[in-house]
Amino acid sequence: MMNRRHVLGAGAALVSTAAWGQTSNTALPEAAVAEGAATQVPPRPSTGPDYTPVVTLNGWSLPYRMNGNVKEFHLVAEPVERELAEGTIARLWGYNGQSTGPTIEAVEGDRVRIFVTNRLPEHTTVHWHGLILPSGMDGVGGLSHKAIPPGKTYVYEFDLTKSGTFMYHPHADEMVQMAMGMMGLFIVHPRDPSFMPVDRDFAFLLNAFDIDPGTWMPRVMTMTDFNLWCWNSRIFPDIDPLVVSKGDRVRVRVGNLTMTNHPIHMHGYDFKVTCTDGGWVPPSAQWPEVSIDIPVGAMRAYEFDAVHEGDWAIHCHKSHHTMNAMGHDVPTFIGVDKSRLTEMIRRHQPEYMPMGTRGMADMGEMEMPLPDNTTPMMTGWGPHGPIEMGGMFSVVKVREGIGADDYSDPGWYENPPGTEAYEWKGEVSEPAMHDTAQTLYTPRPPSRGRT
């Protein structure tokens, strides 16, 4: 993580000299900015109640300074460039050099003072989603307080009355500003370290963009037909894995600021839903799942014990949400004979490759020319071939002996002998078939010892 003095010294293009000048002149907390799109693991607290810091996938936690008994943070709303995946950049709006913005972490009972500097071309606000606070601090422009004009800094100050999983986002020109990527996580840890402890605590926001292939700017008027489904403004194969040591107690917090719900499914485990943005779920009310639906504008957290080693997929179960750069008017060619058409096209374009007649798996195996600044729709390679995914997809990597503060990628899991599916080369019996749409009732098995 870097502060603005460091970034200016390095000549980074995204830093506002005006914002730095205002910070130094008025003794505001320095506004740290992101170094890149990799996950940054924050240190454990050195004072106050102990807690396991949140690891924000492809994100970071915002530093603060103590001013008396108040924790002071500095958010800067500004235009940013975000690397959605290697070689694909989006021109967005965000906070402190990045979309999504940095995670704010504090402790139940803390008093926080959050300076918000507006470097956007229009006014903005910040709404603290799910937090209990005074009406005038709620961040709804025109209702709670005047909107923050460009070039101005406003102050939000309130006590954190409860712990849990929350968010922040604008409530001013909300359709545009959220469509441009303005959002972040706000995590409040319990004051009692013995309440709901975990060894690893991951968090990410679900967001989406409509960015035409070959372009850089989202279409802010899109309501339903998004083509890039993201976790923290990042798409597979460049969403970092969730690295876990075998035996860890793990929490995953997920917030949804898209225009549709997302059933998040994790392979290899069942888990219990332990928290919403309304608060912690009592143990007697926690329910088991393997998929948890995240409604629009809501947060869910679930927990599990990492007892099964391996590489386990975690993804949205809406199949088109695990794709990149999708088109919405593409005809289906499955079963179509394209041989004559291919012959005609190749007279003019010898490199033409017919695709789609057997399904879309060819997209994951071939590297075709694409417009600049565009990630393939299906991409990513695993240890056994193309993974054929994109969008909202990552991998939970459970390994024996991972260090407590080690979140580095351990590489691909090697399945122990006898535990991997393999090709059968022996005789295969005829499969049972059913050639009607009628329901067939399975006969009751013979009674055993009954008359």
Side-chain angles (χ1 to χ4, degrees):
M1 186 181 308
M2 307 173 75
N3 63 35
R4 289 180 174 260
R5 180 184 293 118
H6 296 151
V7 176
L8 283 172
L14 295 180
V15 177
S16 164
T17 55
W20 167 247
Q22 184 175 2
T23 300
S24 58
N25 290 338
T26 61
L28 296 177
E30 288 192 280
V33 294
E35 290 181 297
T39 300
Q40 298 184 34
V41 181
R44 296 191 74 94
S46 57
T47 60
D50 188 35
Y51 58 83
T52 300
V54 165
V55 174
T56 307
L57 286 189
N58 296 101
W60 54 296
S61 290
L62 186 65
Y64 63 86
R65 74 177 181 192
M66 293 301 302
N67 188 348
N69 64 345
V70 179
K71 287 182 177 177
E72 293 186 335
F73 299 84
H74 190 181
L75 282 175
V76 178
E78 59 187 346
V80 302
E81 289 190 355
R82 173 63 160 173
E83 184 184 60
L84 303 180
E86 185 177 357
T88 301
I89 303 293
R91 293 172 183 161
L92 307 174
W93 291 356
Y95 301 93
N96 299 61
Q98 183 170 300
S99 167
T100 56
T103 297
I104 297 174
E105 289 190 78
V107 177
E108 178 185 12
D110 282 349
R111 187 168 183 85
V112 295
R113 183 178 297 130
I114 305 171
F115 299 89
V116 179
T117 298
N118 183 10
R119 296 299 166 194
L120 299 172
E122 67 169 2
H123 64 239
T124 191
T125 67
V126 182
H127 167 59
W128 314 99
H129 181 114
L131 292 169
I132 306 301
L133 37 62
S135 174
M137 296 291 174
D138 193 44
V140 180
L143 176 64
S144 308
H145 56 77
K146 294 180 180 179
I148 308 170
K152 301 296 183 181
T153 299
Y154 276 36
V155 181
Y156 296 87
E157 186 168 344
F158 46 88
D159 295 320
L160 301 178
T161 62
K162 66 175 185 177
S163 60
T165 306
F166 312 105
M167 301 181 277
Y168 64 88
H169 59 79
H171 253 303
D173 196 12
E174 180 176 342
M175 180 192 71
V176 169
Q177 294 186 13
M178 291 181 67
M180 290 290 287
M182 296 185 70
M183 58 195 67
L185 290 156
F186 199 128
I187 306 299
V188 182
H189 296 279
R191 193 152 197 85
D192 179 1
S194 68
F195 179 73
M196 304 295 287
V198 292
D199 300 299
R200 306 224 171 193
D201 198 340
F202 296 96
F204 55 90
L205 284 174
L206 311 173
N207 59 331
F209 301 104
D210 182 13
I211 302 177
D212 285 338
T215 68
W216 286 258
M217 187 76 73
R219 297 160 61 107
V220 299
M221 297 301 290
T222 296
M223 297 183 185
T224 57
D225 289 338
F226 295 91
N227 65 359
L228 292 171
W229 300 96
C230 309
W231 291 357
N232 284 349
S233 300
R234 199 77 167 159
I235 53 178
F236 184 80
D238 288 285
I239 298 174
D240 286 342
L242 291 72
V243 178
V244 173
S245 182
K246 186 176 181 180
D248 279 350
R249 179 70 175 179
V250 182
R251 179 182 297 130
V252 180
R253 312 182 195 231
V254 187
N256 180 8
L257 286 174
T258 72
M259 302 278 272
T260 186
N261 65 309
H262 297 277
I264 299 300
H265 174 57
M266 192 176 82
H267 295 205
Y269 285 84
D270 49 29
F271 50 77
K272 287 189 176 180
V273 179
T274 58
C275 190
T276 76
D277 34 354
W280 298 98
V281 180
S284 60
Q286 295 172 6
W287 68 97
E289 291 279 11
V290 296
S291 298
I292 175 65
D293 195 53
I294 317 295
V296 177
M299 300 206 69
R300 297 289 185 268
Y302 66 83
E303 297 179 23
F304 63 94
D305 293 317
V307 295
H308 308 299
E309 278 191 272
D311 289 343
W312 305 106
I314 178 173
H315 60 95
C316 179
H317 220 294
K318 291 186 175 180
S319 57
H320 59 295
H321 293 183
T322 53
M323 297 288 179
N324 300 322
M326 296 177 294
H328 296 95
D329 297 309
V330 179
T332 299
F333 289 111
I334 295 174
V336 174
D337 182 359
K338 280 189 173 183
S339 57
R340 176 61 177 157
L341 176 64
T342 300
E343 180 183 342
M344 295 172 64
I345 293 176
R346 282 181 173 170
R347 294 173 188 170
H348 307 280
Q349 187 68 34
E351 297 84 10
Y352 172 74
M353 292 184 294
M355 302 188 69
T357 58
R358 301 176 299 168
M360 298 301 293
D362 292 341
M363 296 287 292
E365 299 173 358
M366 299 182 182
E367 295 186 3
M368 300 181 300
L370 293 170
D372 292 340
N373 204 56
T374 302
T375 301
M377 183 176 73
M378 299 166 62
T379 186
W381 287 78
H384 306 291
I387 296 177
E388 299 171 357
M389 288 289 180
M392 294 178 166
F393 182 95
S394 188
V395 180
V396 179
K397 297 193 172 188
V398 181
R399 300 288 192 278
E400 187 83 57
I402 298 287
D405 297 318
D406 184 6
Y407 290 83
S408 58
D409 189 341
W412 298 113
Y413 183 69
E414 185 173 342
N415 298 311
T419 66
E420 184 177 309
Y422 61 96
E423 180 185 2
W424 174 254
K425 297 183 179 180
E427 294 292 328
V428 179
S429 61
E430 286 295 321
M433 304 292 288
H434 182 40
D435 57 2
T436 77
Q438 295 178 343
T439 300
L440 292 184
Y441 293 96
T442 303
R444 185 184 295 274
S447 62
R448 297 180 179 177
R450 294 184 306 201
T451 60

